[in-house]
Amino acid sequence: MTHLAVQHVSKFYANGTQALADVSLHAGEGEILAVVGSSGCGKTTLLRLIAGLDQSSAGAIAVGGQVMHGTHPTISAVFQEPRLLAWLTVAGNIGFGGRRLKPAERDARTEALLGRIGLAGYGKRLPKDLSGGQQQRVSIARALIGHPGILLLDEPFSALDPFTRASLHDLLLGLWQELKPTVVIVTHDVEEAVFLADRVVVMRPRPGRVSETITPRLSRPRDKLSPLFDAAKRRVMQAIDRSLSEEHRPPPRQAADGSSLWW
Ligand SMILES: Nc1ncnc2c1ncn2[C@@H]1O[C@H](COP(=O)(O)OP(=O)(O)OP(=O)(O)O)[C@@H](O)[C@H]1O
Ligand SMILES: [Mg+2]
């Protein structure tokens, strides 16, 4: 079943920049979708529209078949920087994501999540006393405590070293297997996209559009060193190459009957 549907969405900013042009994509319930594309092709804009933090100029976004207006309680987001509240403890930050829950349920989930993210006993610390990777784990727990139907991740691991990143991939997949949210993750890292996603959406810029969608078709758990993994990575890299060459193709010229002809 289609859980998230982005339908013919365009976005113009007030300064006239067209960030997205006629973007359509969908994600089934519990599916992991990765979005890759060059800088400026509208990935963050797309996530902000799905999160309801900004409004599209045209088109619609539907969750569970219902067109969305504004924020939606079933959607939560994690950004590149952890964005934790400095004055709340680690447990307080996780609990903040579950502020709609009854206190006893919220506290029980916070405690369980602290264990799942490997930070049992860290609940009373302040965010400033954690490493970057630990802070990002807290922000993932904060996003998941309310058991969201849709989890949006905007380059959540790009500031982290490869070891921490790999352990957070495992953490994310473990929590995903438990809670099965629909996930949309923006990344610059092709290996990360192929490791995590059921489908990889390749975007191209100026204005941001969907170029193509690649399905890695790999069983889980995935082996980053297998030839099949390599082949899937290559297919995504080739799609990125095609998206860049399309960018440099001259615009279509008009035929006498008004239809478009490519040079
Ligand atoms: N608030 C804004 N006002 C005007 N233009 C904006 C605004 N935010 C983004 N843009 C422009 O919209 C386009 C898409 O930006 P966006 O941040 O969505 O790209 P991105 O794919 O997330 O890039 P990156 O990979 O660098 O994070 C860019 O040309 C950007 O300059
Ligand atoms: Mg961005």
Side-chain angles (χ1 to χ4, degrees):
M1 181 193 135
T2 299
H3 191 217
L4 170 69
V6 174
Q7 298 156 337
H8 304 292
V9 162
S10 296
K11 173 67 182 174
F12 289 89
Y13 283 107
N15 65 0
T17 303
Q18 185 173 17
L20 296 173
D22 197 20
V23 168
S24 294
L25 52 84
H26 63 91
E29 219 163 332
E31 192 176 20
I32 302 183
L33 203 67
V35 179
V36 300
S38 55
S39 181
C41 73
K43 304 180 296 297
T44 295
T45 301
L46 178 64
L47 281 204
R48 285 180 54 80
L49 295 179
I50 297 173
L53 298 172
D54 201 355
Q55 276 197 324
S56 61
S57 312
I61 295 171
V63 175
Q66 300 268 314
V67 172
M68 276 192 7
H69 300 284
T71 55
H72 199 287
T74 194
I75 300 181
S76 48
V78 175
F79 298 95
Q80 187 171 352
E81 339 73 61
R83 297 189 187 180
L84 299 177
L85 301 170
W87 59 92
L88 287 183
T89 61
V90 165
N93 268 283
I94 297 175
F96 187 77
R99 56 199 180 282
R100 291 191 185 87
L101 300 169
K102 293 203 174 89
E105 175 68 13
R106 188 187 57 216
D107 294 347
R109 287 193 194 181
T110 299
E111 215 38 51
L113 275 165
L114 277 167
R116 290 289 281 113
I117 63 173
L119 292 179
Y122 285 63
K124 292 197 167 69
R125 290 203 191 188
L126 288 171
K128 69 177 176 52
D129 300 325
L130 299 184
S131 72
Q134 290 171 333
Q135 289 187 28
Q136 199 56 307
R137 283 189 252 166
V138 173
S139 73
I140 292 172
R142 178 180 58 183
L144 285 172
I145 189 173
H147 296 180
I150 298 176
L151 177 65
L152 306 174
L153 302 147
D154 192 358
E155 298 189 43
F157 311 131
S158 61
L160 305 171
D161 66 81
F163 304 99
T164 310
R165 191 184 296 198
S167 82
L168 286 186
H169 289 162
D170 292 339
L171 170 71
L172 178 67
L173 287 178
L175 289 166
W176 169 75
Q177 242 135 21
E178 225 170 89
L179 303 169
K180 277 293 157 79
T182 301
V183 177
V184 182
I185 176 165
V186 164
T187 174
H188 279 128
D189 182 340
V190 173
E191 180 164 294
E192 180 167 279
V194 172
F195 186 66
L196 297 175
D198 297 305
R199 286 183 298 125
V200 181
V201 175
V202 178
M203 290 185 67
R204 59 192 167 111
R206 281 182 293 278
R209 287 152 291 170
V210 172
S211 184
E212 53 187 296
T213 302
I214 307 290
T215 308
R217 285 188 218 292
L218 299 168
S219 55
R220 296 180 193 274
R222 296 179 175 174
D223 176 2
K224 287 180 186 157
L225 300 176
S226 72
L228 280 176
F229 190 88
D230 249 357
K233 241 167 71 178
R234 209 167 319 123
R235 284 199 290 134
V236 174
M237 286 183 315
Q238 284 162 344
I240 292 171
D241 277 350
R242 281 193 292 276
S243 76
L244 295 174
S245 57
E246 278 171 34
E247 202 192 326
H248 295 119
R249 195 156 62 177
R253 60 198 164 92
Q254 294 262 297
D257 64 359
S259 62
S260 294
L261 290 173
W262 288 99
W263 298 96

